[in-house]
Amino acid sequence: MHQPPLRPRPWVSLAGLAFLAIGRLQASEPGLTIVYEGRTTEFAGVELSRMAHQEVTAFDFHEKQGHVYSGVPVRDLLARAGVEFGEKLRGKGLRLAVLAHCRDNYDVVYAVAEFDEAFNSRAILLVDSQDGRPLPDGQGPLRVVVPGDKRSARWARMVTSLEVVSVGGGAAR
């Protein structure tokens, strides 16, 4: 008995194309790069979205309204890149600063101690959502939110990378 040749069903081909498209979107999602002591640690967008998130309600002074932000504590990201916290953060470690580089060239600096629970009771977050939705255009896809700041000028928008640098180092004055 002769069997007709197998033909792909249209829905099977469409499903295959959809999976390929999803894979490409996830691979091309913006992520974050952290540079510390000459080493680069990269976090893909999908990897960041899968990390443990915290929520914080904070007032955005530019928009004159409060929002619920969700994101990864910057401390967790810095620790994965090799920055030491807790009892190990002392001496020269207290001269470390984090430069948040943004796509719009609005770079912001933070002291590493600001991210340490031993020095600070607030969690500074790298957020990827606002009020349960992705960040609006012009703010995301990643934003540093600093709860408790009286002005939101240090809330870095469109963050692309964090660079840990040592400040000073000269003789004490």
Side-chain angles (χ1 to χ4, degrees):
M1 178 182 221
H2 176 58
Q3 293 200 342
L6 293 175
R7 294 184 196 177
R9 298 214 161 105
W11 63 270
V12 173
S13 297
L14 290 175
L17 289 173
F19 283 120
L20 286 173
I22 290 170
R24 275 191 221 133
L25 285 175
Q26 289 180 346
S28 66
E29 282 181 10
L32 178 74
T33 301
I34 298 178
V35 178
Y36 175 54
E37 292 186 335
R39 294 185 313 268
T40 300
T41 305
E42 295 190 11
F43 298 91
V46 69
E47 182 181 4
L48 289 169
S49 69
R50 291 181 182 155
M51 292 179 74
H53 278 51
Q54 291 182 9
E55 285 190 349
V56 64
T57 301
F59 189 80
D60 186 328
F61 290 90
H62 293 296
E63 294 181 8
K64 308 284 189 255
Q65 64 181 347
H67 294 287
V68 176
Y69 297 97
S70 177
V72 178
V74 175
R75 177 193 192 283
D76 295 352
L77 297 166
L78 294 173
R80 287 179 71 175
V83 177
E84 294 182 328
F85 291 98
E87 291 299 318
K88 294 182 179 182
L89 181 56
R90 59 178 180 243
K92 291 181 182 180
L94 293 174
R95 291 196 328 234
L96 294 176
V98 176
L99 290 167
H101 296 289
C102 305
R103 192 172 58 233
D104 64 355
N105 296 317
Y106 185 84
D107 298 344
V108 181
V109 67
Y110 311 90
V112 164
E114 290 185 80
F115 301 103
D116 193 326
E117 296 163 347
F119 289 90
N120 197 344
S121 60
R122 65 181 173 191
I124 298 173
L125 302 177
L126 181 72
V127 302
D128 55 11
S129 72
Q130 172 183 300
D131 300 326
R133 294 181 296 281
L135 291 170
D137 289 340
Q139 291 186 19
L142 300 171
R143 183 178 191 186
V144 174
V145 171
V146 187
D149 272 9
K150 291 184 178 183
R151 295 181 49 213
S152 56
R154 296 189 325 143
W155 290 24
R157 303 176 305 168
M158 299 180 282
V159 175
T160 57
S161 66
L162 301 176
E163 180 183 5
V164 183
V165 298
S166 182
V167 179
R173 296 176 194 229

